[in-house]
Amino acid sequence: MSRLPLSTRPARSLRPCAAVLALGLTAGLLTAAPPVEAGPRTPPKVAVAEGTGGAVSTVDPDATAAGIEMLRRGGNAVDAAVAAAATLGVTEPYSAGIGGGGFLVHYEAATGEVHTLDGRETAPAAMRADTFAPDGQPIPFAEAVTSGLSVGVPGTVATWETALERWGSVSLRRAMTRATVVASRGFVVDETFRSQTESNAARFADFPATAELYLPDGELPRMGSRLRNPDLAATYRAIARDGSDALREGPVAADLLAAVQDPPLAEGSTRVARPGLLTAADLAAYEVVERAPTSVGYRGLEVYGMAPPSSGGTTVGEALNVLEQFDLAGMGTTQALHHYLEASGIAFADRGRYVGDPAAVDVPVGELLSDGFAAERACLIDPGSTLPRPIAPGSPDGVYAGCPSGTAVPEDDHEGLSTTHLTTADRWGNVVSYTLTIEQTGGSGIVVPDRGFLLNNELTDFSFTDTQGGDDPNLPGPGKRPRSSMAPTIVLRDGEPWLALGSPGGATIITTVLQTLVNRVDLDLTLPEAVAAPRASERNGASTQVEPGFATQDLAGLGHSFTTTAEIGAVAAVELRPDGTLQAVAEPVRRGGGSAMVVDPGDG
Ligand code: GLU
């Protein structure tokens, strides 16, 4: 049975008015609040779903349901991705939202092409290489996080708008409809949300607009209570009406700027919240960039990822190229994992030295992803022992021979562990893999007063000082985009989409995507097994982070050193199987478990 579509467009167009009535919603033109019982119901969380007609995987059942509803009503994978992302902006507000940015990878069935959108937050024109280290000394990291200074121009709404204009079949208004209902009706607070609020409570309490929303009556939100965000519903309506211009000019943009330029601290608060440098001109100038994807061949598959300023595509791709030099499937699990850890450490060394915003620095993407470079780097791996850390970066210069080693610098790894990822696929064979973030869990901690959304602290992804002995590609600069680790990925087999995945988790995003691919492709685990398996994250630091279930003993014997951490990453993935069925896979346990659904589960 073929799963190829006849067209990427739905056979019939949506009827927004009917949809509006069916949902009883107020987005756009209507102004009266909907009756509480009229909103959509939250489905139960399921980690694996199989069937046909389209699939969605996210961390959150309201978001997955929004995507599935869009698919059910004839929308395509892009429409569903925006519907799910807009809902995540409500229900996962500490991980992603309209105050942040992200990267979207899209497989277009009609053309067989993979496209990507760079909706990364961008530094203001006034930003300089020493903005985070004005006297040569970096300002305290925590102080930078909770500040206006770290807020980049948000790119999320512009990403949604561009994706819908390029490949979608519904309006932005339509795509945000259900999310607007969820914002005004509220979502049910779960353990993950409560504990994320708890770890942010001290700084949230310092900003009245944040406290009012997320610390109702000065308390942590109760588990099982309903958290409503009418201000965000109103902001979503403004966006439904004005598109991304709502964040470039006009009253919402003005409030955003005011909050960045003069962070709205509580009276009497002693917190240092440095003002930001954003101006109206910075907001007005924001552009989503359509970029060529990164692409590598791996064991007969084509792996597409996100190009710089994300390091996701080059780092996952380089590590896969290195691993392809070895027969992982035939060497036993301990050796396969040893090679996985070494390849990851090597690729991180090159990431640190070479990857930044391509508008500001020359990133040798082609050489980093070349087989010649991979062979030179693979040559360093010794099956009997672990390379000493830090591993030195290589020379992706087009001349490859032997096993050269350079001068190592310690890794600078301070990205947050927040973010969210979603994957959608439709009945026509279109696929979206989309990672979005506000950086730290809780972003800058600053909710724009009366607008209901948190501002990002993405500019803390820049290096604060040169970490590369004079060659740091990731120093701040005017209009520059900070290097990211986000790694939305789509894998083709025989020219057709086979697997799409991604994860949150700062720099552990890269290792989570890489390990899941190795698990699925080389170790022949099923996708649910590949996702559930205990993770290890090797990033060329002093030790490798591992989850408690990861077996370390044999690897320690080879010289690896480990530190245990409770959880690494949170994959959301879809596999398109040869029989035409779809398998949506979310986390069974991490982050409280994710939510996978298909449009038509059939009998299964
Ligand atoms: N800011 C990080 C990045 O762009 C993501 C933040 C996170 O995952 O916590 O890679």
Side-chain angles (χ1 to χ4, degrees):
M1 183 160 96
S2 165
R3 63 168 180 272
L4 274 182
L6 297 174
S7 146
T8 54
R9 298 279 161 165
R12 66 188 167 78
S13 63
L14 291 171
R15 289 176 301 139
C17 291
V20 164
L21 290 175
L23 289 167
L25 85 106
T26 61
L29 300 175
L30 308 179
T31 49
V36 164
E37 63 277 11
R41 257 189 300 154
T42 304
K45 270 188 200 169
V46 178
V48 181
E50 295 173 356
T52 54
V56 181
S57 179
T58 81
V59 295
D60 174 72
D62 284 308
T64 297
I68 287 290
E69 182 192 72
M70 181 58 78
L71 293 172
R72 223 169 243 149
R73 288 169 181 266
N76 66 24
V78 172
D79 306 328
V82 176
T87 306
L88 289 169
V90 181
T91 58
E92 292 281 319
Y94 305 153
S95 298
I98 59 173
F103 296 98
L104 185 150
V105 180
H106 171 234
Y107 173 82
E108 185 180 37
T111 59
E113 289 172 1
V114 178
H115 310 107
T116 79
L117 294 181
D118 165 0
R120 184 67 161 166
E121 298 93 329
T122 300
M127 193 123 199
R128 296 290 176 265
D130 67 352
T131 294
F132 285 121
D135 311 313
Q137 284 306 309
I139 64 175
F141 188 72
E143 202 177 293
V145 166
T146 308
S147 77
L149 197 57
S150 65
V151 180
V153 183
T156 288
V157 173
T159 305
W160 299 347
E161 187 174 65
T162 307
L164 290 172
E165 278 168 7
R166 289 280 281 108
W167 312 295
S169 71
V170 302
S171 64
L172 185 58
R173 171 197 301 275
R174 175 69 190 94
M176 295 179 71
T177 291
R178 180 165 170 145
T180 309
V181 179
V182 177
S184 63
R185 175 178 177 252
F187 65 94
V188 178
V189 170
D190 64 10
E191 170 53 30
T192 305
F193 186 82
R194 185 186 154 85
S195 85
Q196 288 177 341
T197 311
E198 190 167 23
S199 42
N200 276 293
R203 65 189 188 127
F204 283 5
D206 275 343
F207 296 97
T210 314
E212 195 186 321
L213 182 56
Y214 294 127
L215 298 170
D217 303 320
E219 304 284 333
L220 293 178
R222 271 183 303 108
M223 286 253 300
S225 66
R226 197 165 270 280
L227 199 138
R228 296 183 171 80
N229 192 342
D231 287 345
L232 184 61
T235 303
Y236 274 18
R237 282 183 212 116
I239 292 167
R241 191 182 55 235
D242 299 333
S244 64
D245 280 351
L247 293 184
R248 293 179 209 275
E249 58 194 22
V252 177
D255 287 350
L256 186 161
L257 272 183
V260 173
Q261 292 172 349
D262 185 12
L265 278 170
E267 218 168 289
S269 166
T270 55
R271 179 175 295 277
V272 176
R274 292 173 187 251
L277 305 172
L278 281 190
T279 64
D282 293 319
L283 293 187
Y286 186 83
E287 280 181 9
V288 171
V289 184
E290 187 172 345
R291 299 187 183 279
T294 60
S295 130
V296 297
Y298 188 64
R299 315 233 192 257
L301 306 165
E302 294 162 74
V303 181
Y304 289 92
M306 194 63 226
S310 185
S311 60
T314 56
T315 315
V316 171
E318 180 188 337
L320 288 175
N321 281 343
V322 168
L323 289 173
E324 201 176 26
Q325 312 277 324
F326 304 95
D327 174 20
L328 257 55
M331 62 174 54
T333 307
T334 300
Q335 273 300 318
L337 291 173
H338 170 59
H339 282 72
Y340 154 64
L341 297 178
E342 295 295 79
S344 185
I346 289 169
F348 265 87
D350 297 321
R351 165 190 182 268
R353 171 66 186 80
Y354 297 109
V355 184
D357 181 350
V361 293
D362 190 12
V363 187
V365 173
E367 293 304 330
L368 284 170
L369 294 177
S370 69
D371 289 338
F373 186 55
E376 196 174 84
R377 300 299 273 157
C379 167
L380 295 170
I381 298 179
D382 178 345
S385 71
T386 302
L387 283 164
R389 299 317 194 242
I391 299 165
S395 301
D397 54 8
V399 181
Y400 304 115
C403 264
S405 63
T407 312
V409 290
E411 277 293 319
D412 180 42
D413 191 347
H414 60 212
E415 286 170 40
L417 295 172
S418 173
T419 308
T420 196
H421 179 83
L422 64 96
T423 302
T424 63
D426 66 29
R427 74 184 86 158
W428 299 281
N430 302 297
V431 179
V432 172
S433 186
Y434 180 26
T435 314
L436 58 164
T437 187
I438 56 172
E439 202 332 81
Q440 195 99 353
T441 303
S444 64
I446 304 169
V447 164
V448 177
D450 303 323
R451 303 301 179 184
F453 65 94
L454 280 158
L455 292 167
N456 70 81
N457 66 300
E458 210 69 52
L459 304 184
T460 60
D461 274 1
F462 282 122
S463 305
F464 282 21
T465 55
D466 192 310
T467 61
Q468 300 287 323
D471 286 318
D472 194 323
N474 191 36
L475 283 169
K480 195 171 170 183
R481 298 184 175 198
R483 178 175 62 219
S484 170
S485 298
M486 290 189 266
T489 303
I490 295 181
V491 183
L492 307 192
R493 185 165 65 185
D494 301 326
E496 290 183 39
W498 171 56
L499 186 60
L501 75 162
S503 172
T508 72
I509 291 171
I510 290 167
T511 58
T512 297
V513 168
L514 179 62
Q515 188 177 359
T516 307
L517 288 173
V518 168
N519 283 345
R520 179 73 189 95
V521 176
D522 294 297
L523 306 185
D524 205 25
L525 302 186
T526 64
L527 184 58
E529 290 167 348
V531 170
R535 294 194 181 122
S537 180
E538 164 53 45
R539 307 192 297 281
N540 199 25
S543 67
T544 300
Q545 277 184 319
V546 286
E547 293 180 331
F550 188 85
T552 54
Q553 199 179 344
D554 293 345
L555 289 161
L558 294 171
H560 292 279
S561 72
F562 296 103
T563 359
T564 304
T565 187
E567 278 185 13
I568 297 172
V571 168
V574 172
E575 186 166 317
L576 298 92
R577 306 194 287 197
D579 65 357
T581 60
L582 300 161
Q583 184 183 49
V585 179
E587 292 288 352
V589 177
R590 297 180 184 96
R591 291 209 184 182
S595 168
M597 293 175 70
V598 292
V599 169
D600 182 3
D603 298 333

